[in-house]
Amino acid sequence: MAFPRLDIHRRNRGERTLVTLAGDIGPATTPLLRAAVEQCLLDGVTVIDIDLTTVGSCDARGLDVLLSASRRAGRVHAHLRLHHPCAQIARLLDATGSTSLLLTAPVSPVPPAASGGLMSTATRAPEDPARRPDQPVLRDGIRLRRLTRWQAEDMREDIADLAAESVAGTAGGAYHDRGDFLHRLAVTAHRPGFALLVAETTVLVGCAFGFPVGSDGSGHRGFDGTLQEIIQRLTSRAQFVCLTQVVAHPHAQHRDIARRLQQRLLTDLRSSLGVTLLHPADQAGQAAFSSWGWQNMGEVVGLPGPVAPCVLTLSSEGQPSARR
């Protein structure tokens, strides 16, 4: 008999905290939710954002916990807000007249940023085979979760920490500056179709993000258009996903996490081809991507920037992208 499970992950930002839930809220898991919310109030948190993106269901007891916590928060001039409930929870809120009390519009997305280059962040080369792209959870409690732009902004410093940690002590570390990484994340987050996945336990252990090119008529001008023309010449495909990937190397499953993230991202963006750019001297990064199934198409000219980057491609169909 399988017992219901609710994973709770809390991230603090001063007097504000984001509580991410994954699983189901029912009789067996309601005490965990109550304890987590009460601890936030005891810690003096003034805004409690509860992310329900990966919660499948919530019963009346779970709703009562949230309502009680909201009333308690109001008495101490704090706020509790729910984000991204599933259809079942939305119906429950509506049926009990709780929608206006608990639901709020998402915080403003990442602000516009100037366009910039695409340089991927990588870690040590993986070796394990990937599992099915639609499988939501890895073994040992590692789960993949897609973030909204608002969530990506809230977690940007944690993701940058992961990026720095993933290349610390490696030969590729010299090509991955924290500030440049944060700039690329902000730029990519403002792209149409932006998608960001994280792999996590109780902490962040992996990340991949990117955006589609060509699927909606984009890419005809500027940097995207030039890259699209190059990829079309190399692979005979005009539609693909520009992807940047980060993996936390200390985790025992970092090999499996890398492949699962990249395949899941391609699936979510409905693309069979991934494209990434690397500095030509970043041999460690190229070796890592090669072992994940990417093919190095060589250095290309014509893209903005002082260095002609290497273009790497990944086919989700399991076949290398042939040079044309």
Side-chain angles (χ1 to χ4, degrees), residues 30-48:
T30 296
L32 297 175
L33 175 61
R34 178 183 294 108
V37 176
E38 287 181 352
Q39 189 60 54
C40 290
L41 294 174
L42 290 173
D43 292 341
V45 174
T46 58
V47 177
I48 305 172

Side-chain angles (χ1 to χ4, degrees), residues 179-315:
D180 289 342
F181 175 84
L182 285 171
H183 175 70
R184 289 195 301 274
L185 176 57
V187 170
T188 308
H190 197 60
R191 298 271 191 169
F194 165 74
L196 186 149
L197 293 171
V198 294
E200 57 189 1
T201 53
T202 56
V203 296
L204 190 65
V205 296
C207 173
F209 59 87
F211 62 95
V213 172
S215 59
D216 58 353
S218 62
H220 294 305
R221 294 181 298 175
F223 176 83
D224 290 354
T226 303
L227 183 60
Q228 187 175 359
E229 293 174 0
I230 292 172
I231 298 304
Q232 187 169 19
R233 290 199 303 268
L234 293 174
T235 67
S236 296
R237 301 192 211 179
Q239 299 180 6
F240 53 91
V241 171
C242 284
L243 183 147
T244 297
Q245 184 162 349
V246 180
V247 177
H249 65 83
H251 196 280
Q253 293 185 49
H254 68 85
R255 298 175 178 86
D256 200 41
I257 293 169
R259 291 193 173 193
R260 287 288 290 111
L261 281 168
Q262 65 189 27
Q263 292 294 342
R264 172 70 176 275
L265 190 65
L266 291 181
T267 299
D268 282 2
L269 294 180
R270 297 180 175 83
S271 177
S272 60
L273 180 68
V275 174
T276 194
L277 305 180
L278 285 178
H279 194 289
D282 185 3
Q283 298 299 318
Q286 293 180 40
F289 275 90
S290 176
S291 65
W292 295 333
W294 293 75
Q295 182 180 12
N296 192 333
M297 310 299 287
E299 298 178 26
V300 296
V301 296
L303 294 176
V307 178
C310 292
V311 171
L312 282 71
T313 61
L314 172 73
S315 173

Side-chain angles (χ1 to χ4, degrees), residues 68-126:
S68 298
S70 179
R71 289 191 291 267
R72 286 189 55 195
R75 288 196 292 267
V76 294
H77 306 289
H79 302 278
L80 183 144
R81 311 184 298 188
L82 299 184
H83 300 273
H84 315 297
C86 67
Q88 183 269 328
I89 298 177
R91 289 194 298 269
L92 180 61
L93 292 170
D94 182 64
T96 58
S98 307
T99 302
S100 60
L101 175 63
L102 295 174
L103 289 181
T104 182
V107 179
S108 299
V110 177
S115 61
L118 301 174
M119 287 294 173
S120 298
T121 304
T123 60
R124 294 174 175 80

Side-chain angles (χ1 to χ4, degrees), residues 52-75:
L52 301 172
T53 302
T54 49
V55 173
S57 64
C58 176
D59 66 1
R61 290 186 185 180
L63 178 61
D64 184 62
V65 168
L66 295 171
L67 290 171
S68 298
S70 179
R71 289 191 291 267
R72 286 189 55 195
R75 288 196 292 267

Side-chain angles (χ1 to χ4, degrees), residues 144-159:
L144 303 187
R145 181 166 64 96
R146 183 166 172 175
L147 304 185
T148 64
R149 284 184 173 88
W150 164 66
Q151 292 168 322
E153 170 65 12
D154 189 75
M155 292 180 62
R156 64 192 297 272
E157 295 298 333
D158 297 306
I159 294 171

